[in-house]
Amino acid sequence: MGIKAVKFGGTSLSHAEQMRKAAEIVRSDKERRVVAVSAPGKRFSGDDKITDLLYRMDQAKTTEKRNELFSLITGRLDDIVASLGLPQDFSREYREVLMTARGAELVSRGEYFCAKIFAALIGFSFADARDVIFLDEKGEPDMPKIEKAMRAHLEQYGNIVIPGFYGAGPNGETVLLPRGGSDITGAIAAAAADADVYENFTDVNGFLLADPKTVASPRTVRELSYEELRRLSSMGACVLHSDSVLPLKAKEIPVLIRNTNDPDGEYTRICAKKTERAVSGIVGQRGYLLFSVYLTGIGKNLADFHRLLGIFEAYTSNVYSTPHTIDAVGVLVYGDDIGGRKEDILRDLFEKLSAEAVTVTADMALLSVVGEGLSSETARMILQTMAEIGAEPLLVDGGADRMGVTVGFDERYLTLLIHRLYEKTV
Ligand code: ASP
């Protein structure tokens, strides 16, 4: 019998009714034997994710606040247990763990309790991520060790539910993955179990060709390559964590992004090789700044270029593009990444680099049309559409990976440009 690894996100487990749907999905296919779960997420808009409540509890300054959050969190978990009619009683564990733990140990408990509840609901065996997901000093998965643990567990029990979002560090301590990291846990588990497929169940029918906040009912993208997925998620398409494909690539395990509320509906398949040539996404984001730094000869002097990037490194680890000519280098950053420190960067550029002049173009949007092997068609389409609507291209980038074309322009044109490009693509 084959193995399907499944991951359920926070909205798929936010309350008892959602948990029942998720349980039904697992039960409907005997091959779904490896399950990773997030912590219960928002039940409605404006609601809190359990993980956010745990972060708040960790930062609470007073015992009163901590107790208040403790009641909120345990109340929600108990409510799920009671509504599902499960016999579990976590009260001792709540007191022992939630009241004493701090940091990663505390914040990871949303996934921990959720996995225990879900395992009981579907009659699978629970395995603490600390006993299965081993991370090295860089936070990378130790695959041989994980594979061994996974094999042993599956041989003994035949199935497994693992809490997402954390694992054991080199000394056995709890280490968190990045936010949204249960996707990564599911991928690590899928790779370690040699699964035939990794099904990621969320609250949408896969990747949409454009942001539904901009385009009404955009169509689902049928297929994406692993690389395209990484490109799209780096530009804000956050259906699946971009690092999740890394453990899957070597074994070429495909990922299916499916909807817990519509399990038989449309979905996106992410794989090593696409079967069709098609645009995979139109993604855009506002809030970028382009620093144009003038210094005679900088474009052919790597030492100066290096010093320039060193200045930015002190403020952000993310630089989106560095288009340059002989006497000027542009550095494109995301406004939120540098916070309100534009003036400090300017000061450093003059004092530490002896820049001759610096101009800053603010309120820029970046838009990418992603699609493997389609660069020349998409570049033509984007530039022509920009000319039609009067948007001046401030940056044009064919992409070092030739996976898509990115343009930068005045952010006021973003919505219109996305609309026009969507119409031309479908
Ligand atoms: N619960 C964690 C978060 O909110 C991890 C996850 O949901 O994947 O980021």
Side-chain angles (χ1 to χ4, degrees):
M1 183 167 51
I3 295 185
K4 290 181 179 166
V6 189
K7 180 255 168 178
F8 291 100
T11 48
S12 304
L13 304 163
S14 56
H15 53 95
E17 198 190 318
Q18 287 301 91
M19 283 228 184
R20 280 201 198 95
K21 288 185 198 166
E24 196 40 50
I25 289 170
V26 177
R27 286 191 199 110
S28 67
D29 187 337
K30 293 255 169 303
E31 295 191 344
R32 291 182 174 136
R33 294 198 281 141
V34 173
V35 180
V37 297
S38 286
K42 295 183 184 190
R43 292 159 294 180
F44 43 84
S45 100
D47 192 20
D48 290 302
K49 293 177 172 191
I50 294 277
T51 306
D52 290 328
L53 294 174
L54 287 163
Y55 270 112
R56 276 176 20 214
M57 187 170 166
D58 191 38
Q59 280 144 22
K61 296 271 183 301
T62 61
T63 317
E64 206 185 351
K65 187 79 205 153
R66 224 178 133 78
N67 287 342
E68 186 192 311
L69 286 157
F70 175 86
S71 308
L72 254 175
I73 296 163
T74 55
R76 269 188 68 179
L77 293 170
D78 283 343
D79 190 38
I80 295 175
V81 174
S83 309
L84 292 173
L86 295 172
Q88 281 159 313
D89 176 8
F90 289 128
S91 30
R92 225 190 68 212
E93 226 178 328
Y94 286 156
R95 272 194 311 279
E96 277 172 15
V97 184
L98 287 182
M99 282 315 252
T100 53
R102 285 279 194 275
E105 177 62 22
L106 175 61
V107 171
S108 63
R109 294 307 88 181
E111 270 72 10
Y112 172 84
F113 285 115
C114 188
K116 285 204 146 181
I117 296 171
F118 196 65
L121 178 64
I122 58 175
F124 273 28
S125 74
F126 165 84
D128 191 349
R130 258 186 316 217
D131 300 325
V132 191
I133 305 292
F134 302 104
L135 305 167
D136 65 17
E137 43 297 311
K138 287 199 210 122
E140 304 291 341
D142 180 340
M143 286 312 289
K145 211 168 153 191
I146 299 172
E147 272 165 20
K148 206 166 141 210
M150 181 69 76
R151 224 174 289 134
H153 195 101
L154 285 177
E155 260 163 37
Q156 189 171 355
Y157 302 101
N159 52 43
I160 186 168
V161 176
I162 316 168
F165 188 41
Y166 70 94
N171 303 313
E173 74 283 18
T174 301
V175 175
L176 290 181
L177 293 166
R179 290 302 306 259
S182 302
D183 283 345
I184 305 175
T185 307
I188 295 173
D194 267 320
D196 303 298
V197 66
Y198 170 33
E199 296 178 300
N200 191 293
F201 280 89
T202 176
D203 53 0
V204 287
N205 286 65
F207 270 81
L208 301 175
L209 189 57
D211 185 348
K213 287 193 211 93
T214 312
V215 173
S217 322
R219 75 162 168 75
T220 295
V221 178
R222 295 226 322 254
E223 247 185 0
L224 287 177
S225 69
Y226 296 135
E227 291 75 17
E228 287 178 330
L229 172 272
R230 282 182 61 77
R231 267 293 286 272
L232 290 167
S233 13
S234 73
M235 290 276 298
C238 47
V239 183
L240 179 75
H241 197 289
S242 55
D243 286 351
S244 352
V245 298
L246 301 175
L248 305 169
K249 268 174 97 165
K251 294 185 174 172
E252 297 200 357
I253 298 172
V255 189
L256 310 186
I257 309 287
R258 314 188 84 134
N259 191 346
T260 303
N261 305 312
D262 180 19
D264 300 320
E266 289 189 305
Y267 60 88
T268 302
R269 181 171 188 275
I270 305 165
C271 53
K273 275 193 189 56
K274 289 183 12 174
T275 54
E276 51 185 42
R277 268 176 105 243
V279 170
S280 304
I282 303 169
V283 276
Q285 221 170 1
R286 296 183 171 78
Y288 291 88
L289 275 85
L290 180 67
F291 288 77
S292 299
V293 183
Y294 295 82
L295 179 65
T296 305
I298 188 168
K300 56 181 179 109
N301 183 336
L302 265 185
D304 280 346
F305 209 116
H306 192 239
R307 279 198 299 137
L308 168 69
L309 291 181
I311 289 173
F312 279 90
E313 198 183 357
Y315 297 92
T316 172
S317 54
N318 261 347
V319 159
Y320 288 83
S321 183
T322 53
H324 64 275
T325 52
I326 183 163
D327 295 329
V329 178
V331 182
L332 185 75
V333 293
Y334 188 48
D336 283 358
D337 288 346
I338 59 163
R341 290 170 301 170
K342 183 180 115 185
E343 297 305 323
D344 299 326
I345 297 177
L346 285 172
R347 188 200 56 228
D348 285 358
L349 290 170
F350 286 112
E351 283 179 8
K352 298 187 179 158
L353 185 74
S354 306
E356 290 151 12
V358 184
T359 59
V360 181
T361 311
D363 303 329
M364 251 176 87
L366 279 193
L367 176 142
S368 294
V369 176
V370 176
E372 247 174 62
L374 292 170
S375 293
S376 39
E377 286 106 301
T378 46
R380 218 176 299 125
M381 173 176 77
I382 298 171
L383 292 176
Q384 194 186 329
T385 314
M386 289 179 83
E388 282 161 19
I389 64 171
E392 182 195 356
L394 301 172
L395 176 117
V396 179
D397 184 348
D401 54 7
R402 308 184 72 177
M403 216 39 84
V405 177
T406 302
V407 282
F409 51 91
D410 184 329
E411 63 184 22
R412 283 174 304 172
Y413 292 97
L414 182 64
T415 306
L416 182 58
L417 186 57
I418 291 181
H419 272 280
R420 291 286 171 87
L421 291 171
Y422 182 79
E423 281 158 19
K424 288 186 185 185
T425 306
V426 288

